[in-house]
Structures are given as C-alpha cells and as structure tokens.
Amino acid sequence: MAGSRRVVLGVSGGIAAYKAADLLRRLTESGLSVRVVPTASALKFVGEPTWAALSGQPVATEVWSAVHEVPHVRLGQEADVVVVAPATADLLARAAHGLADDLLTNTLLTARCPVVFAPAMHTEMWEHPATRENVATLRRRGAIVIEPAVGRLTGADSGKGRLPDPAEISAVVHRVLRRGAEATPDLAGRHVVVSAGGTREYLDPVRFLGNRSSGRQGYALARTAAARGARVTLVAANTVLDAPAGVDVVRVGTTAELRTAVRAAAADADAVVMAAAPADFRPAGLAEHKIKKADDGSAPTVVLVQNPDILAELAAERSRAGQVVVGFAAETGDAAASVLDHGRAKLARKRCDLLVVNEVGEGRAFETADNAAVILGSDGTATEVPFGPKDDLADVIWDLVVKRLALPH
Ligand code: CTP
C-alpha cells in the first residue's frame, strides 16, 4: 500500500455501523489504505475481525494498546482524510467539544487533514438543538458534515437520520482527497438550487417529446455543493440516478413543473444552476386518450407552442439580492459562428452570471461520465475546464459561484 492515500475510518456506536463495512470495502477496493478506528460501542455492533479482514490492517481500538507507537496522535497526524461513519449524536457532541476520551476522539483532535462526518441517528436526536449546535460548530471549524438521508430508520420509524448510501459517502471521500486543502465547506450556510435531467412534454397519456439528458452533470453539481456544506435542492426531471447524500430532491416531469419547482426553491436561494435540459416546446394540446392510428394511413399533425425560458426569467427576477444564476449551453460551431461566439451571445441574451458552454458531438456531454467546458462570465472572463469527471467541472463551477457570492451587493 506504499504511496496510497491514507484514510482513517472512524466508526461510532450506531446500528448503521454494519453499513460502514460496505463503505470500508469500497474505500479499500478503490486503492485507499484504510485504518479503522471503531469506538467501544461500535464494537458491540460489528466486531474487530470484520474491520481487520476488510481493511487488511490492524484495527486500533483504544489508546492503551501499542502505546509505543503513540497511536492516539499518529493516526490523525498521518491521515489524508478522516471519515466518521456512522457519526452518532454522542460522537458529534464529543467532537464538537474537543473531548479526547477514546482513540477516535484523540484522532480527531490530532488530525490536520479534512474531516468528514456522516451522521446517522433518530430524527429527534438529529433535530435536537444540542445536535444542531454541535453540527454547526463542527461545520464552522471546517469539518464536512453530510446531511443524513431521509427514509426508514431502525424499528418502525422513518424520517431524516439514515446513514447516506455508502457509495455516496465514498464519493465524498474521493472528492475531498482530490481537492486536498481546498476541500473546505465554503458553501456552508448557503442554499443552492440545481436542476437536472430532461423534461418530457406529453402528447397523450403514453407518448412524449423528450431529450437525451441523463441528469449526471446536475447530480454532480448537487453532490459537490452538499460536500461543500450547502443546503441543496435538486429539481430532477425524469432521472434514474441515486439521490446524492444530503440533498433534497424534488421530482418533476414537464417544463412547467420544473419551472414551478425551481422558482419556489429559488425564492431564498443564494445560487441557481440550470443544468437541466427543459424542452423548449410542448404540444399545444394534450390528448386525453391514447392517439389511435387512422385507417387511411394519415398521421396527426402536432402543433407545438414555446415553453417559458426559466433561466432567463430567473436572471431577470433575481428573487434575492446577489443571487448567482448559472446556465448551461450545449452548442455546435457552424459557418457563421464558433461555439464560444454562440455561447457569448446566449450569455448576453439570457443575462445570467455564468454560462457553462459544452461543445456537443464527439461522444461528449450527453449520457457520459466526463465533460469538458468553457465557463463564460458576465464580467468577460472565460474559464476553460479540460475533459474530465463531471464532479471536477462541478467543483470549478462552484469555485466561480463562491467568488461571486463574496462580492459586495
Ligand atoms: N433553459 C431554460 N428554460 C428553457 C430552455 C432552456 O431555463 N425553456 C435553460 C437550460 O437549463 C440551460 C440554458 O437555458 O441552462 C440553455 O438552454 P438552450 O436550450 O441551449 O438555450 P436556448 O435559449 O433554447 O437556445 P437555442 O436556441 O440554442 O436552443
């Protein structure tokens, strides 16, 4: 494992500890070197042999073992990232108050690397003012606290408090490692709205006009914003992707529904990113019943009407002072103008702050995991982002949004 990035996986004592075994497996299989530090109560849920076997490394459980190696300072000092999953209400409280009463809290105090907490607890505990304050304290100090997922909890309860999907926690850890010291929650306290996917405009109860947008770029934006501490509303049109950890998802179908949902969420938003591909046109009428084939071989004529331009409306209205509005443009160059010329014209027409311009074709943009773009700013700037993961492009977009949010308004 020489040379691989070092992760400390802290596990505190909640039933979700069993899901941390899946997280551990994902982290090690992606080439990371992981040392597991379970608390005493975590070991009541999942025993030491499981952690040792899955990590392929000795498991440090208490400050009093292997004292000559000074584990209570070494583990934290040497880590590239510390992730605590699940983080119980008790663990968050101890971390927020700087206690050092076991090996995991000692490790948290000595760590100088980014720290990620993935909380899991009952909704009442998550919502308790004590926990709210502890989470706020940790975030203020620069820790990344992922919002818990909503769903079935232990027993018959359901609500907010589930451990986010291990694949999502693993994605946050990898992102933090990629960004290193820049992985700070610089969107903490901000509300951002992201739209994703492609809308569908129905002709009849079974047929629709749609487009190829998968929603991946929007999901990448939502995931990265959450990892940077934002409260995120993701308005998703016809996507089949797993909800990113710590993101509120609003599902929509048509452009009209997308418009209503985005405008409602934008009312108190610091930034709105329109990564969705809303259909520009919809059928003038919706047939109540499935349209039947005519016996004479003729085909119906579909009359289309234009949908409102949501991005242009948002940019014109700015429901909050200083709100940053970001659009996307998939363009092809032609004889009259280059891709960037088209992009600049669209930026001016829509009056948004940033326009992310993709050149389409060559297997790019749609339905792929990678993307390249030039981000045009209303201040005349152009930021080139090389071909790479959509999460990386998303992070550059947020970098530019954060800069604009810092400007006086
Ligand atoms: N968009 C929108 N509402 C629409 C259509 C598009 O908010 N009804 C947003 C998209 O989410 C994207 C941006 O506008 O952020 C660019 O969309 P695009 O289809 O490229 O723009 P158009 O104005 O439709 O330009 P074109 O004539 O080139 O299709």
Side-chain angles (χ1 to χ4, degrees):
M1 289 261 174
S4 59
R5 312 297 299 277
R6 276 177 293 223
V7 180
V8 169
L9 170 60
V11 184
S12 57
I15 184 68
Y18 79 93
K19 295 186 190 167
D22 181 15
L23 172 62
L24 171 57
R25 178 145 219 160
R26 287 171 188 276
L27 296 174
T28 53
E29 282 178 0
S30 60
L32 300 173
S33 165
V34 189
R35 290 290 303 266
V36 185
V37 183
T39 63
S41 37
L43 290 170
K44 297 197 178 194
F45 290 99
V46 180
E48 185 176 334
T50 301
W51 305 119
L54 290 178
S55 67
Q57 303 222 43
V59 176
T61 56
E62 54 160 323
V63 281
W64 303 116
S65 47
V67 174
H68 63 287
E69 291 174 3
V70 208
H72 74 288
V73 282
R74 284 272 291 281
L75 282 168
Q77 281 174 341
E78 291 175 357
D80 294 302
V81 61
V82 178
V83 52
V84 185
T88 58
D90 175 69
L91 186 281
L92 292 173
R94 289 189 291 138
H97 291 274
L99 299 194
D101 52 355
D102 64 8
L103 186 58
L104 180 53
T105 45
N106 273 278
T107 302
L108 289 168
L109 278 186
T110 51
R112 291 295 172 269
C113 57
V115 177
V116 179
F117 294 93
M121 64 195 73
H122 269 78
T123 311
E124 293 83 349
M125 290 188 174
W126 175 250
E127 288 175 350
H128 194 283
T131 307
R132 308 300 322 142
E133 275 175 35
N134 291 331
V135 168
T137 301
L138 291 166
R139 283 184 173 151
R140 198 171 54 245
R141 288 192 202 128
I144 293 164
V145 185
I146 306 174
E147 285 290 302
V150 177
R152 179 86 194 268
L153 304 171
T154 319
D157 304 4
S158 85
K160 191 162 190 173
R162 263 171 81 89
L163 186 74
D165 191 58
E168 286 297 331
I169 303 173
S170 166
V172 172
V173 170
H174 280 282
R175 180 188 165 282
V176 163
L177 285 171
R178 270 201 318 278
R179 287 181 62 81
E182 285 175 52
T184 55
D186 51 4
L187 284 170
R190 304 290 190 179
H191 176 208
V192 305
V193 179
V194 178
S195 69
T199 62
R200 293 177 180 176
E201 302 296 344
Y202 280 84
L203 292 158
D204 68 20
V206 295
R207 300 186 181 92
F208 58 80
L209 301 173
N211 62 65
R212 283 172 53 198
S213 174
S214 65
R216 284 205 184 87
Q217 185 62 64
Y219 273 63
L221 280 153
R223 183 186 305 119
T224 48
R228 292 168 80 141
R231 173 161 78 84
V232 184
T233 306
L234 173 64
V235 181
N238 308 299
T239 55
V240 290
L241 305 167
D242 290 335
V247 165
D248 292 327
V249 183
V250 182
R251 299 205 169 274
V252 296
T254 63
T255 297
E257 289 165 7
L258 182 79
R259 175 173 180 261
T260 305
V262 168
R263 286 168 64 101
D268 71 343
D270 297 285
V272 187
V273 183
M274 285 294 297
D280 284 323
F281 309 101
R282 66 180 186 280
L286 169 65
E288 200 182 330
H289 302 290
K290 189 178 165 199
I291 301 166
K292 295 286 182 200
K293 280 201 290 281
D295 292 338
D296 64 1
S298 66
T301 302
V302 177
V303 178
L304 299 175
V305 292
Q306 228 186 70
N307 277 325
D309 187 324
I310 306 165
L311 178 64
E313 280 179 359
L314 291 166
E317 285 167 18
R318 310 269 171 174
S319 45
R320 185 175 173 161
Q323 184 177 70
V324 180
V325 177
V326 184
F328 272 72
E331 302 287 351
T332 54
D334 53 39
S338 70
V339 168
L340 283 189
D341 292 337
H342 283 302
R344 286 199 185 90
K346 191 167 286 182
L347 178 72
R349 200 166 64 238
K350 304 230 182 193
R351 294 170 51 207
C352 49
D353 301 290
L354 297 166
L355 188 73
V356 185
V357 183
N358 296 127
E359 179 163 8
V360 285
E362 302 167 51
R364 287 182 177 180
F366 287 117
E367 295 165 4
T368 65
D370 290 324
N371 218 347
V374 177
I375 307 169
L376 300 177
S378 54
D379 54 1
T381 52
T383 309
E384 220 166 299
V385 186
F387 193 63
K390 288 185 173 176
D391 277 24
D392 289 0
L393 172 57
D395 267 321
V396 179
I397 295 169
W398 292 126
D399 289 345
L400 296 172
V401 168
V402 165
K403 267 194 206 150
R404 274 165 179 72
L405 287 172
L407 298 174
H409 53 259

